[in-house]
């Protein structure tokens, strides 16, 4: 008996998440076992509210453009499912799934999304309904366990590397310049901030990097700031937004998963430097640009996003459920990987952070970080332009009745 497939996007968008979406559609169309191919609008909320679209009715040329379209084409969510599978939300989801004869479900997201994926897989198994569930990794934070890297991270890391070295060059044009503090995303894991350490030209690398894996000492920060600026008459410090959790709390807001909403730590630190040391400062927060930088999509990121989606569809059709596809890097100088499946219960809510060895390297020459990151960022892709800017997919989003 044929079953339908539903795919949804969850958590923060990336420049590459819609490439995963593209890969799912293209692969799903190859399988006779799959009847309808649906997209759930705004993540799991689309399943809760029966808002699914028919992806077979989308135009081929627009599906192709998904590969260069940032954000989340289906809309996303940070809705948290209850840990109690008796909660009414699960019955709403089951009603939608049964109504549309869904037997395959693909969840594309990061840590919290894999938590959702795991809960859904447990629920369907518990109630005895035949719906296979599979996770597709996505997060610029690069903090999902067991996978060498997460889809979206290489493109975001390339944006960070390019932008930081451009800022460094700009800040060096005057005999005396600014104290620049660049803020980069990363709540508990500093992988994206650490990308700045992989810049090959030593003169363009940051003077200091601050990561959430390490204790942040404001006095040490100010002492380092004074040392660098007095010597160079300029400075470039890079900080992860996650260090904000170690500063005094001011008007704290939490998201639906109980996470402190971050942003603005560069401005806070710049004000402190200005007040305490008297330097002219320039805080720069990359904010959404680091995850929406279309022109920084790397060839490896795009290729792997498609391959991972293909693996997810093939595996779920074969009956696999409760897994996430991981990227396994082979040892050696040449970049080689294979795709494997890992149980979701080992991944959900587990954060992969920078090791002590990498932390030491990042504050040193950055050799290990370059070896890890350069194969992922070295090549970009060709883009289709429209009136001078990249063309984006425009989906019809025909609702399934």
């Amino acid at each position: 008996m044929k079953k339908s497939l539903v795919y949804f996007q969850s958590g923060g968008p990336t420049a590459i998440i819609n490439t995963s979406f593209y890969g799912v559609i293209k692969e799903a169309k190859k399988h006779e076992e799959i009847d309808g191919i649906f997209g759930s609008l705004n993540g799991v909320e689309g399943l809760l509210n029966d808002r699914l679209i028919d992806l077979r009715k989308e135009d081929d040329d627009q599906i192709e453009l998904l590969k260069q379209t940032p954000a989340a084409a289906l809309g996303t969510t940070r809705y948290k499912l209850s840990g109690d599978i008796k909660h009414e939300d699960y019955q709403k989801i089951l009603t939608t799934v049964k109504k549309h004869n869904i037997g395959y479900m693909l969840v594309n997201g990061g840590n919290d999304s894999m938590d959702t994926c795991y809960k859904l897989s447990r629920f369907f198994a518990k109630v005895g309904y035949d719906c296979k569930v599979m996770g597709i990794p996505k997060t610029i934070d690069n903090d999902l366990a067991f996978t060498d890297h997460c889809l979206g991270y290489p493109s975001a890391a390339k944006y960070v590397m390019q932008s930081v070295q451009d800022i460094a060059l700009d800040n060096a044009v005057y005999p005396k310049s600014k104290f620049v503090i660049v803020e980069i995303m990363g709540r508990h894991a500093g992988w994206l901030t650490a990308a700045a350490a992989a810049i090959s030209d030593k003169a363009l690398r940051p003077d200091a990097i601050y990561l959430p894996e390490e204790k942040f000492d404001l006095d040490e920060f100010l002492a380092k700031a004074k040392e660098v600026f007095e010597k160079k008459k300029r400075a470039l410090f890079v900080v992860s937004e996650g260090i904000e959790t170690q500063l005094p709390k001011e008007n704290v807001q939490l998201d639906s998963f109980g996470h402190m909403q971050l942003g603005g730590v560069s401005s806070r630190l710049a004000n402190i430097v200005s007040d305490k040391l008297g330097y002219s400062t320039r805080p720069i927060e990359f904010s959404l640009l680091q995850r929406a930088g279309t022109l920084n999509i790397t060839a490896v990121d795009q290729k792997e996003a498609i391959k991972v989606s293909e693996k997810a569809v093939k595996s779920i059709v074969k009956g696999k459920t409760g897994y996430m596809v991981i990227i396994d890097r082979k040892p050696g100088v040449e970049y080689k990987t294979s795709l494997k499946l890992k149980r979701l219960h080992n991944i959900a809510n587990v954060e992969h952070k920078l090791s002590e060895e990498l932390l030491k390297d990042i504050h040193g020459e950055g050799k290990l970080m370059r070896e890890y990151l350069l194969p992922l960022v070295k090549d970009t892709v060709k883009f289709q332009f429209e009136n001078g800017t990249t063309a984006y997919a425009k989906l019809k989003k025909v609702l399934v009745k």
Side-chain angles (χ1 to χ4, degrees):
M1 178 181 175
K2 287 187 175 183
K3 290 273 192 176
S4 295
L5 177 148
V6 67
Y7 161 90
F8 65 85
Q9 301 168 325
S10 186
T14 76
I16 208 72
I17 190 171
N18 290 325
T19 302
S20 295
F21 183 19
Y22 163 89
V24 167
I25 297 171
K26 298 293 284 188
E27 183 61 32
K29 286 182 175 181
K30 298 176 183 178
H31 294 266
E32 293 183 357
E33 307 95 321
I34 297 175
D35 187 14
I37 306 174
F38 306 140
S40 177
L41 297 178
N42 296 106
V44 73
E45 292 187 55
L47 292 171
L48 286 166
N49 302 313
D50 191 16
R51 287 182 54 77
L52 309 183
I53 63 170
D54 188 345
L55 298 175
R56 289 191 184 276
K57 293 185 178 180
E58 299 296 343
D59 297 330
D60 288 342
D61 61 333
Q62 297 305 306
I63 292 173
E64 287 295 322
L65 285 175
L66 285 170
K67 292 184 291 183
Q68 63 177 53
T69 302
L74 294 174
T76 187
T77 185
R78 292 196 184 278
Y79 190 91
K80 183 177 177 66
L81 283 178
S82 170
D84 180 5
I85 60 175
K86 295 180 181 179
H87 191 279
E88 63 178 355
D89 281 352
Y90 290 95
Q91 291 305 315
K92 289 180 180 179
I93 291 170
L94 184 60
T95 298
T96 300
V97 166
K98 285 183 174 180
K99 175 183 176 181
H100 300 291
N101 190 35
I102 293 169
Y104 311 110
M105 184 177 295
L106 295 172
V107 182
N108 196 177
N111 266 302
D112 293 330
S113 304
M114 290 307 112
D115 175 69
T116 297
C117 192
Y118 176 53
K119 287 173 179 174
L120 288 170
S121 68
R122 285 179 54 236
F123 168 70
F124 290 126
K126 188 73 175 177
V127 299
Y129 183 79
D130 185 19
C131 182
K132 307 296 189 292
V133 186
M134 182 77 60
I136 297 174
K138 174 277 326 172
T139 172
I140 64 170
D141 289 339
N142 200 40
D143 61 352
L144 282 168
F146 299 105
T147 188
D148 176 76
H149 56 276
C150 301
L151 301 172
Y153 171 69
S155 299
K158 187 179 184 71
Y159 176 89
V160 168
M161 292 172 66
Q162 184 67 61
S163 299
V164 168
Q165 71 175 30
D166 289 350
I167 291 167
L169 202 61
D170 183 271
N171 199 44
V173 298
Y174 298 106
K176 183 177 181 179
S177 196
K178 301 279 188 178
F179 192 105
V180 178
I181 304 176
V182 177
E183 177 181 343
I184 298 171
M185 285 182 174
R187 178 178 299 277
H188 298 132
W191 289 98
L192 193 57
T193 305
I199 294 171
S200 299
D201 190 336
K202 186 176 181 179
L204 300 179
R205 292 207 296 271
D207 297 303
I209 297 176
Y210 292 87
L211 304 160
E213 286 89 346
E214 300 172 303
K215 183 179 179 181
F216 180 76
D217 187 311
L218 184 57
D219 291 333
E220 183 278 332
F221 175 88
L222 289 171
K224 181 71 173 179
K226 185 174 182 179
E227 175 191 344
V228 172
F229 198 85
E230 294 302 320
K231 180 180 178 180
K232 298 176 63 175
K233 305 305 178 187
R234 67 181 60 85
L236 173 57
F237 281 22
V238 171
V239 302
S240 170
E241 65 177 2
I243 68 170
E244 184 178 355
T245 61
Q246 301 186 48
L247 294 175
K249 305 295 187 292
E250 294 180 3
N251 302 318
V252 173
Q253 292 182 316
L254 304 178
D255 64 17
S256 59
F257 282 84
H259 302 318
M260 175 180 170
Q261 293 186 9
L262 303 179
V265 68
S266 58
S267 294
R268 290 181 66 187
L269 290 173
N271 288 335
I272 292 171
V273 169
S274 179
D275 291 342
K276 299 287 187 181
L277 302 177
Y279 302 149
S280 178
T281 60
R282 176 174 283 124
I284 299 173
E285 183 180 354
F286 286 162
S287 190
L288 302 184
L289 292 173
Q290 59 208 300
R291 73 184 193 194
T294 308
L295 293 177
N296 289 286
I297 291 175
T298 77
V300 164
D301 213 5
Q302 187 179 85
K303 179 181 178 181
E304 290 182 337
I306 296 169
K307 292 294 184 183
V308 167
S309 291
E310 291 173 351
K311 174 76 172 179
V313 173
K314 289 175 181 177
S315 298
I316 209 169
V317 166
K318 290 179 180 178
K320 296 291 185 181
T321 187
Y323 292 90
M324 185 186 83
V325 182
I326 65 167
I327 301 169
D328 182 43
R329 189 189 296 213
K330 306 302 180 185
V333 177
E334 187 178 357
Y335 179 70
K336 291 183 178 180
T337 64
S338 64
L339 301 179
K340 299 179 179 180
L341 301 182
K342 193 71 177 178
R343 285 283 184 185
L344 279 166
H345 70 82
N346 292 320
I347 295 172
N349 299 310
V350 177
E351 291 176 311
H352 179 217
K353 299 182 180 182
L354 292 163
S355 66
E356 289 294 331
E357 183 182 26
L358 274 176
L359 289 171
K360 183 178 179 181
D361 173 73
I362 289 161
H363 297 308
E365 295 299 318
K367 180 177 180 292
L368 295 178
M369 199 64 202
R370 279 192 291 280
E371 289 175 354
Y372 170 71
L373 194 51
L374 292 188
L376 308 180
V377 303
K378 64 179 182 179
D379 297 318
T380 53
V381 299
K382 292 183 178 179
F383 298 93
Q384 180 179 330
F385 289 88
E386 184 177 282
N387 297 322
T389 60
T390 48
Y392 293 154
K394 298 178 179 63
L395 302 182
K396 291 182 284 189
K397 296 185 179 180
V398 178
L399 289 173
V400 181
K401 296 182 180 179

